[in-house]
Amino acid sequence: MSRAAARTEALRPLAAADAPGLCQRFEGASAEAVLEAVLTDPRFGRVALVSSFGAESAVLLHLVARIDRSVPVLLVDTGKLFPETLAYAEALAAHLDLRDLRHVRPEAEQLAGQDPTGLRWSYDPDGCCAIRKVAPLEAALAGFDLSISGRKRHQAHTRARLALFEPDGARLKLNPLAGWTREMLAAHMAHHALPPHPLVAAGYASIGCSPCTSPVLPGEDPRAGRWRGWDKTECGIHGRGSEPAF
Ligand code: SF4
């Protein structure tokens, strides 16, 4: 490759097709190092953090806040979240001094047409997630080149092969905590005195919408309380990358 071509390549904006190469480049790097690169290298473009403000969300929010407090943080506010989650999001964002918390909500018109009773979760949870989570988030991410997600491999067998970088349509998705264990997360929370989600103490190990989340019993998978009784393990917002769609 000529010097001019190498220079052009070095300045080229990064896109979904670069995911495998980025996984190689950052293999063995810490979550902090990867986040630092993504949040400071202009080739990654416009970056947003997607957070559920759930049981373990404080760790990633804290890591990002230490690098850039102005990063847009998207909370998919389905209209079915626990009031505790909404209050926690405000309190945690203030605690970490995150300055751009955005509530991503479904369109009122779409809800009126496709979930007029608000009970679609009870007979068609996939359809409910599509209306209340997938469509609003897709619209909100249209203006970004890369999203950061807090998923980890240990959370479920469906996430066991989660890559550090993955394609998400034309965008890149970064999973900086992919390799973190439950113990690492707990240690980070304790070391930095990060406030826990108030429902964790009540036995909620993974926290989503109120109608579809229940506490887990000792020894159960942390996500066993999500869509309990349904053959469903994911909401669909992570279904287009290297991970299988559910
Ligand atoms: S988690 Fe439940 S209430 Fe929330 S969008 Fe999905 S089906 Fe609807």
Side-chain angles (χ1 to χ4, degrees), residues 99-119:
R99 296 167 186 175
D100 193 2
L101 172 61
R102 303 182 188 182
H103 288 248
V104 174
R105 297 188 172 97
E107 297 274 349
E109 199 173 296
Q110 194 170 16
L111 285 184
Q114 299 187 39
D115 191 11
T117 63
L119 293 173

Side-chain angles (χ1 to χ4, degrees), residues 20-204:
L22 288 166
C23 287
Q24 274 189 335
R25 176 179 150 195
F26 287 102
E27 191 175 355
S30 67
E32 289 91 335
V34 183
L35 285 167
E36 177 86 32
V38 163
L39 293 172
T40 57
D41 184 343
R43 288 183 305 153
F44 285 101
R46 298 157 298 175
V47 178
L49 166 58
V50 179
S51 179
S52 65
F53 285 87
E56 298 167 336
S57 298
V59 172
L60 182 55
L61 289 158
H62 176 243
L63 293 176
V64 168
R66 288 203 295 191
I67 301 167
D68 184 354
R69 295 190 171 103
S70 68
V71 172
V73 178
L74 310 186
L75 167 64
V76 183
D77 185 351
T78 61
K80 299 289 182 186
L81 295 179
F82 289 96
E84 289 89 340
T85 298
L86 295 172
Y88 180 59
E90 297 298 330
L92 187 57
H95 179 77
L96 298 173
D97 198 19
L98 285 162
R99 296 167 186 175
D100 193 2
L101 172 61
R102 303 182 188 182
H103 288 248
V104 174
R105 297 188 172 97
E107 297 274 349
E109 199 173 296
Q110 194 170 16
L111 285 184
Q114 299 187 39
D115 191 11
T117 63
L119 293 173
R120 189 157 179 161
W121 59 268
S122 64
Y123 60 89
D124 178 20
D126 284 342
C128 184
C129 281
I131 299 163
R132 293 177 180 272
K133 289 187 174 181
V134 180
L137 183 61
E138 185 59 30
L141 285 175
F144 293 97
D145 304 299
L146 182 147
S147 68
I148 305 173
S149 142
R151 289 174 300 159
K152 301 107 196 158
R153 296 186 191 113
H154 75 76
Q155 286 175 313
H157 71 278
T158 53
R159 299 182 177 183
R161 290 179 290 116
L162 186 64
L164 181 62
F165 285 89
E166 57 184 342
D168 180 24
R171 279 184 303 275
L172 276 167
K173 185 181 287 186
L174 167 65
N175 305 302
L177 303 184
W180 282 46
T181 63
R182 235 165 263 143
E183 293 72 24
M184 291 166 71
L185 293 160
H188 188 95
M189 293 277 293
H191 184 70
H192 296 283
L194 297 176
H197 190 297
L199 291 178
V200 169
Y204 290 81

